C-alpha cells in the first residue's frame, strides 16, 4: 500500500498514533497505527491503518451517536488531498473504488 510519510499523517490527524506493537524496533509499515482526531464540529474520528496488510478502518462518532464505521481491505493507496487550517481531506484507493473522506470542517 502506498501511503504518506508518518509525519504527514500526524499533521493531518494532529496527533501521534497509538501503535499496536509499542516495541521501538517494529517499523511503521508492519505496525497498526491508530490516529484520533476531533474536528470543530466535535466529531471524533478514529482512523487505523496497517500498511503491510493493506487495511484501513475508521470510526466516526459525535457524542454517543456513531456516524460511520468502515473496515476496508485491499487498499492500494492512501493520500492526503488537503491539509490546511480550513480543510482536511484524505483519499483511499482500492481496486474498484476511490473514497474521498473529509475530516474538517466536518465529516
Amino acid at each position: 500500500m502506498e501511503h504518506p510519510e508518518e509525519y504527514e499523517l500526524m499533521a493531518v490527524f494532529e496527533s501521534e498514533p497509538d501503535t499496536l506493537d509499542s516495541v521501538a524496533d517494529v517499523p511503521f509499515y508492519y505496525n497498526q497505527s491508530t490516529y484520533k482526531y476531533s474536528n470543530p464540529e466535535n466529531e471524533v474520528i478514529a482512523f487505523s491503518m496497517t500498511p503491510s496488510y493493506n487495511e484501513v478502518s475508521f470510526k466516526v462518532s459525535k457524542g454517543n451517536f456513531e456516524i460511520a464505521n468502515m473496515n476496508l481491505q485491499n487498499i492500494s493507496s492512501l493520500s492526503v488531498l488537503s491539509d490546511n487550517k480550513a480543510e482536511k481531506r484524505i483519499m483511499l484507493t482500492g481496486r474498484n473504488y476511490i473514497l474521498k473522506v473529509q475530516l474538517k470542517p466536518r465529516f
Side-chain angles (χ1 to χ4, degrees), residues 1 4 38 44 49-50 52 57 59 67 69 78-79 85 93 95 101-102:
M1 173 169 91
S38 180
V44 177
M49 65 181 287
T50 311
S52 61
S57 66
K59 180 179 177 181
I67 297 171
N69 190 348
L78 164 65
S79 55
K85 188 175 183 178
T93 306
R95 178 192 270 167
V101 180
Q102 179 173 304

Side-chain angles (χ1 to χ4, degrees), residues 23-64:
V23 180
D25 60 344
V26 176
F28 174 78
Y29 184 78
Y30 296 106
N31 211 338
Q32 180 183 41
S33 301
T34 301
Y35 299 86
K36 293 185 181 161
Y37 175 71
S38 180
N39 65 20
E41 294 291 321
N42 294 322
E43 297 166 328
V44 177
I45 300 157
F47 180 88
S48 296
M49 65 181 287
T50 311
S52 61
Y53 289 126
N54 301 326
E55 294 179 348
V56 167
S57 66
F58 61 92
K59 180 179 177 181
V60 183
S61 58
K62 185 171 185 174
N64 292 330

